[in-house]
Amino acid sequence: MSHNFMQAVKERRSIYGLSKEQVVSADRIQEIVDDAVKYAPSAFNSQSARVVVLLGGQSDKLWDITKETLRKIVPAEQFASTELRINNFSAGYGTILFFEDQMVVETLQYQFTSYADNFPIWSNQSSGMLQFIVWTALEQEGLGASLQHYNPIIDDEVRATWELPTSWKLIAQMPFGKPTAQPGGKDINPLSDRVKIFQ
């Protein structure tokens, strides 16, 4: 079991070439997300994570929103490369949106004032763990994914489009689909500079 887990960790990579071809069922995607949300750790068992899964046309709508938002702020002469990047995300089967419910975070800040400054940090850490679980699980199913951060510029329109609570803060977007390209090379800095063991 340990070997299988570490192998999945090693094989999870950012995949930017995606197609809409269905690799697993929508029910399986929901099962992965449900289990990840259910079992991902969170500070004080706050369970502040919120997730929206967009499939097919709903995912396309997200990337249309992102593209049109960027069109307003990216210089015209630079927009072609931006549009190509967004089109690559839109080419996938779906997108998972990760949120943190700020009402939960603020309630904990009020209840435990001595830790108030830490709760937003812990909330982000919890979201990162959830993202990693989902990403690695998708890889095990034969799906490619990457992690994007077009928040906060798309936040208001995303909330309005899918009628989400205002307390949900968008943290990241994960487009996924059948891989159409292999990941690029990955340089790894010396572990001797990054890991210290004392015994």
Side-chain angles (χ1 to χ4, degrees), residues 120-134:
I121 298 169
W122 293 336
S123 167
N124 282 330
Q125 290 172 344
S126 176
S127 182
M129 289 186 279
L130 172 61
Q131 294 161 33
F132 179 77
I133 292 168
V134 171

Side-chain angles (χ1 to χ4, degrees), residues 113-161:
T113 55
S114 58
Y115 297 119
D117 291 344
N118 288 326
F119 281 111
I121 298 169
W122 293 336
S123 167
N124 282 330
Q125 290 172 344
S126 176
S127 182
M129 289 186 279
L130 172 61
Q131 294 161 33
F132 179 77
I133 292 168
V134 171
W135 196 348
T136 305
L138 291 177
E139 188 282 327
Q140 287 191 300
E141 297 289 336
L143 290 159
S146 67
L147 197 64
Q148 305 303 317
H149 301 91
Y150 288 97
N151 42 294
I153 62 172
I154 63 171
D155 291 23
D156 291 341
E157 194 164 355
V158 165
R159 283 195 209 96
T161 300

Side-chain angles (χ1 to χ4, degrees), residues 18-34:
L18 304 172
S19 81
K20 293 187 184 301
E21 184 178 340
Q22 188 171 357
V23 175
V24 297
S25 68
D27 287 345
R28 179 60 182 145
I29 299 296
Q30 181 174 353
E31 183 180 20
I32 288 169
V33 171
D34 285 351

Side-chain angles (χ1 to χ4, degrees), residues 7-16 18 132 135-136 138-140 143-147 174-175 179 181-188:
Q7 192 62 35
V9 169
K10 292 175 185 178
E11 292 175 357
R12 182 225 49 83
R13 297 290 304 281
S14 292
I15 306 291
Y16 298 106
L18 304 172
F132 179 77
W135 196 348
T136 305
L138 291 177
E139 188 282 327
Q140 287 191 300
L143 290 159
S146 67
L147 197 64
M174 185 178 288
Q182 294 297 311
K186 181 175 182 177
D187 295 328
I188 298 178

Side-chain angles (χ1 to χ4, degrees), residues 5-78:
F5 172 73
M6 290 310 299
Q7 192 62 35
V9 169
K10 292 175 185 178
E11 292 175 357
R12 182 225 49 83
R13 297 290 304 281
S14 292
I15 306 291
Y16 298 106
L18 304 172
S19 81
K20 293 187 184 301
E21 184 178 340
Q22 188 171 357
V23 175
V24 297
S25 68
D27 287 345
R28 179 60 182 145
I29 299 296
Q30 181 174 353
E31 183 180 20
I32 288 169
V33 171
D34 285 351
D35 282 347
V37 170
K38 188 174 181 180
Y39 295 111
S42 59
F44 286 62
N45 194 30
S46 60
Q47 301 179 52
S48 54
R50 305 290 182 263
V51 175
V52 172
V53 180
L54 304 173
L55 301 178
Q58 294 293 314
S59 179
D60 294 343
K61 189 183 298 185
L62 170 78
W63 296 111
D64 286 343
I65 289 170
T66 306
K67 186 190 300 183
E68 294 312 311
T69 301
L70 289 168
R71 192 186 303 275
K72 297 171 187 173
I73 59 177
V74 174
E77 63 275 11
Q78 297 174 15

